[in-house]
Amino acid sequence: MRIVLLGAPGAGKGTQAKKLVDKYGIPQISTGDLLRAAVSAGTPLGKEAKSYMDQGQLVPDSVVLGMVEERMKQDDVKKGYILDGFPRNTSQAEVLDKMLASLNMSLDAALSVDVPFEDLMKRLTGRRTCKACGQMYNVYFSPSSKGDACDKCGGALFHRDDDKEETIKKRLDVYTASTAPLLDYYKGKGIVKSIAGTGSIDDIFAQVCAALNLK
Ligand code: AMP
């Protein structure tokens, strides 16, 4: 199964991707996670990416595409993958198509997780992520019962630097201008499945599995 997750920042793509990973054992490839890891490790790529991320801008394609290509060479992607946060604009989608064509592969679905724009701000300002295992929480909707520690592994929870109100506004603008057009791009290929990203995480996951014909 090779799928692309579409949806605005805060739509819950990462949360649903992690549930797919847990249940079906296919890897999630999140360019945001890869970039944050590069920033934490202080690599040259991370240093280049950081200023864009802090401003809520897209990191240049040249940086992201190289990183995705490297990730795609790893063994675990042979059984499929969930692309989360990539592609982020039409030119990245075109490069992905070429990458897949050269491997004689195609995408099975582009799954759009739809959430009303007015809900996104609270979802993003309330978001907390476990430093150790990546599990996500929301202080308003789905807090950890252990406060600042992860329910799953006890790791420390952190608030992403770019989940601050001013940066979120910029990220939503960038989404509207650059990423939302991907919906039409993939509609043109006839592979879009849309689900409502509101309600409980488990209910949304049931819809994800139904849309993807997973048991
Ligand atoms: P995310 O975790 O997907 O919300 O991404 C966080 C930030 O990383 C974004 O606001 C961008 O600055 C950067 N980023 C993540 N994925 C991409 C991508 N495919 N292309 C460009 N920038 C990206």
Side-chain angles (χ1 to χ4, degrees):
M1 177 173 60
R2 286 181 291 273
I3 62 170
V4 166
L5 292 180
L6 298 175
K13 301 184 297 295
T15 302
Q16 295 302 322
K18 286 195 170 53
K19 287 184 81 68
L20 286 167
V21 171
D22 285 349
K23 189 153 179 195
Y24 298 103
I26 39 169
Q28 168 196 18
I29 301 182
S30 156
T31 42
D33 285 350
L34 292 172
L35 287 165
R36 278 184 288 280
V39 170
S40 296
T43 65
L45 185 151
K47 285 186 183 135
E48 188 178 348
K50 188 174 185 321
S51 59
Y52 295 96
M53 296 170 79
D54 286 348
Q55 291 170 50
Q57 304 273 9
L58 293 186
V59 173
D61 287 358
S62 54
V63 175
V64 173
L65 290 166
M67 200 179 69
V68 170
E69 244 172 300
E70 279 308 302
R71 180 65 187 85
M72 291 280 200
K73 284 183 192 153
Q74 289 170 21
D75 259 1
D76 62 340
V77 302
K78 289 198 178 115
K79 51 190 167 182
Y81 42 79
I82 305 148
L83 290 172
D84 168 12
F86 177 87
R88 207 66 160 229
N89 57 31
T90 310
S91 67
Q92 291 183 7
E94 286 166 355
V95 173
L96 174 64
D97 281 344
K98 285 192 191 123
M99 225 187 276
L100 289 168
S102 73
L103 298 166
N104 254 333
M105 288 176 176
S106 58
L107 291 170
D108 297 308
L111 182 75
S112 174
V113 183
D114 304 335
V115 171
F117 237 63
E118 54 273 22
D119 294 357
L120 297 171
M121 184 59 82
K122 209 165 181 186
R123 284 187 175 212
L124 289 163
T125 53
R127 180 154 76 173
R128 300 290 182 275
T129 312
C130 174
K131 256 196 163 74
C133 74
Q135 179 66 35
M136 292 163 97
Y137 298 90
N138 188 292
V139 294
Y140 305 115
F141 310 118
S142 52
S144 166
S145 67
K146 294 182 184 150
D148 287 342
C150 176
D151 269 335
K152 235 176 156 182
C153 77
L157 304 187
F158 74 98
H159 189 201
R160 277 172 46 172
D161 284 343
D162 60 351
D163 278 347
K164 310 273 153 64
E165 203 165 323
E166 271 318 297
T167 320
I168 292 169
K169 282 191 188 131
K170 180 73 207 162
R171 288 164 63 206
L172 293 175
D173 287 347
V174 167
Y175 170 77
T176 304
S178 302
T179 311
L182 286 178
L183 195 59
D184 280 339
Y185 180 87
Y186 286 116
K187 273 185 183 160
K189 296 181 179 293
I191 60 167
V192 171
K193 317 243 180 204
S194 295
I195 59 153
T198 44
S200 80
I201 290 171
D202 286 340
D203 286 347
I204 299 167
F205 188 58
Q207 284 192 65
V208 168
C209 295
L212 297 174
N213 289 322
L214 296 169
K215 293 203 181 97

